[in-house]
Amino acid sequence: MDLGALKPGGASPAARDLIKDGTSASFGKDVIEASREALVLVDFWAAWCGPCKQLTPIIEKVVTSYAGKVRLVKINTDEHPAIAGQLRIQSLPTVYAFRDGRPLDGFMGAQPESAVRAFIERLLGEDAEADIAGVLEAAEAALEAGDLQSAAEAFAAVLQEDQQNAQALAGLARCYLKSGDVDRAAQTLTLVPPDKQGSAPVQSARAALELARMADKSDNSAELEQRLAANPADHQTRFDLAVALAARGRKAEALEHLLDLVRRDRNWNDQAARKQLVQLFDAWGPKDEHTLEGRRRLSSILFS
């Protein structure tokens, strides 16, 4: 259907729901309440205003094309001056955009279709970013609480909107890791775009993946403990033991051995112990108690 060919009064029922003539009395329902569900544009106009007559069909066409994501309320300022007075409207036409019950932005004067569409796209983009940020925050909280199903569903929902979202891909990979599916975690991380490989969430997920892969190897921690007891100055054995312990979730013990190694010889093997600690902090996450304690104690050693 050619939306531009629709004549006044000939709009479909769906279009009439999206475009309304507002009044001072209906403003609360048609704009304030409705803006909690969709972006609402309010077009302040008057019958004597030439530019208003140019803008109205353009803005109606653009709003209709968004199929419900945007609504339009037209207010004749001669018949309903109260709202225009409250918003200090001084020239016509003036268009305000409302979201979550409050005005976001606006413009004055007749605008071409491209400008009106760009105005709406920018505001919808800001809404989408805010929505995604909220979903990601909830997903991270669920993951931290151990609710893998809810976390995975939330991360997947973000990826439906943004297939290359690095935080969502990293979060989904961590869900797989916590469920024991190392292969799917690795496959998920291959989907991260090259320019986002260095982001903190991806680095953290990769560190966790490496730790999970270590756990798949045979457990030789008992043998390493015996060798270290026989020779406490054997740095390589202490390092290998710390890695083996970390791979099996024995965080406190791994932390102690690596910190002790840094304390004994921080430059051993090109600062391998410090680098391993940083990788473990990434794998455990910034809120983990062992990460917090480890970073504090590492700083104390390095800057003492």
Side-chain angles (χ1 to χ4, degrees):
M1 179 183 294
D2 182 3
L3 297 176
L6 289 175
K7 298 180 179 179
S12 66
R16 288 197 296 270
D17 289 338
L18 299 178
I19 302 172
K20 295 184 177 181
D21 290 315
T23 67
S24 298
S26 69
F27 190 85
K29 178 181 179 181
D30 292 342
V31 178
I32 303 301
E33 292 182 16
S35 71
R36 303 188 190 283
E37 301 176 0
L39 184 69
V40 177
L41 303 187
V42 183
D43 177 16
F44 294 94
W45 67 283
W48 48 264
C49 169
C52 297
K53 296 177 182 179
Q54 297 174 24
L55 179 63
T56 294
I58 292 174
I59 200 169
E60 287 183 352
K61 174 185 176 182
V62 173
V63 166
T64 303
S65 72
Y66 281 93
K69 291 183 179 180
V70 186
R71 301 175 189 177
L72 174 65
V73 175
K74 299 182 293 182
I75 295 183
N76 186 322
T77 56
D78 287 341
E79 297 177 358
H80 307 284
I83 301 299
Q86 292 176 16
L87 292 175
R88 299 181 180 179
I89 303 297
Q90 296 184 357
S91 64
L92 298 178
T94 290
V95 175
Y96 271 115
F98 281 75
R99 183 65 166 165
D100 293 327
R102 59 185 179 85
L104 296 178
D105 201 353
F107 63 83
M108 295 182 293
Q111 302 288 331
E113 180 179 336
S114 59
V116 174
R117 194 173 294 279
F119 174 76
I120 292 174
E121 283 292 329
R122 175 171 60 81
L123 295 179
L124 288 178
E126 292 173 358
D127 289 343
E129 289 179 5
D131 290 343
I132 286 177
V135 175
L136 286 172
E137 184 178 353
E140 295 288 356
L143 180 57
E144 186 177 350
D147 186 354
L148 301 185
Q149 184 67 30
S150 296
E153 289 175 356
F155 286 128
V158 171
L159 292 171
Q160 287 183 347
E161 299 296 324
D162 180 6
Q163 295 181 355
Q164 297 186 334
N165 188 287
Q167 184 177 350
L169 287 168
L172 190 58
R174 292 187 71 109
C175 289
Y176 286 133
L177 285 175
K178 286 184 177 292
S179 69
D181 196 338
V182 175
D183 290 339
R184 293 192 70 180
Q187 291 171 3
T188 301
L189 288 176
T190 63
L191 302 176
V192 177
D195 62 329
K196 297 179 180 179
Q197 291 285 348
S199 65
V202 175
Q203 294 280 49
S204 177
R206 288 200 181 283
L209 175 61
E210 290 305 313
L211 203 57
R213 283 172 169 164
M214 292 177 193
D216 288 340
K217 299 178 181 178
S218 59
D219 185 3
N220 63 340
S221 56
E223 176 189 346
L224 292 169
E225 286 173 345
Q226 291 176 358
R227 287 166 51 185
L228 186 62
N231 182 12
D234 185 344
H235 294 345
Q236 186 63 58
T237 295
R238 187 178 298 277
F239 180 86
D240 293 343
L241 176 58
V243 172
L245 293 170
R248 280 151 187 82
R250 296 164 65 177
K251 298 179 182 179
E253 296 169 81
L255 190 60
E256 290 297 335
H257 282 297
L258 288 170
L259 289 171
D260 189 27
L261 185 49
V262 174
R263 191 181 297 109
R264 287 169 180 264
D265 185 354
R266 68 181 63 181
N267 292 317
W268 172 78
N269 196 17
D270 193 24
Q271 299 190 14
R274 181 192 63 80
K275 293 177 180 178
Q276 183 61 58
L277 280 167
V278 172
Q279 185 179 30
L280 291 179
F281 297 157
D282 283 341
W284 296 340
K287 296 181 180 179
D288 186 276
E289 60 179 332
H290 297 91
T291 297
L292 296 172
E293 179 187 358
R295 282 178 171 162
R296 177 183 59 78
R297 293 176 60 186
L298 178 61
S299 296
S300 178
I301 295 171
L302 294 176
F303 298 105
S304 61

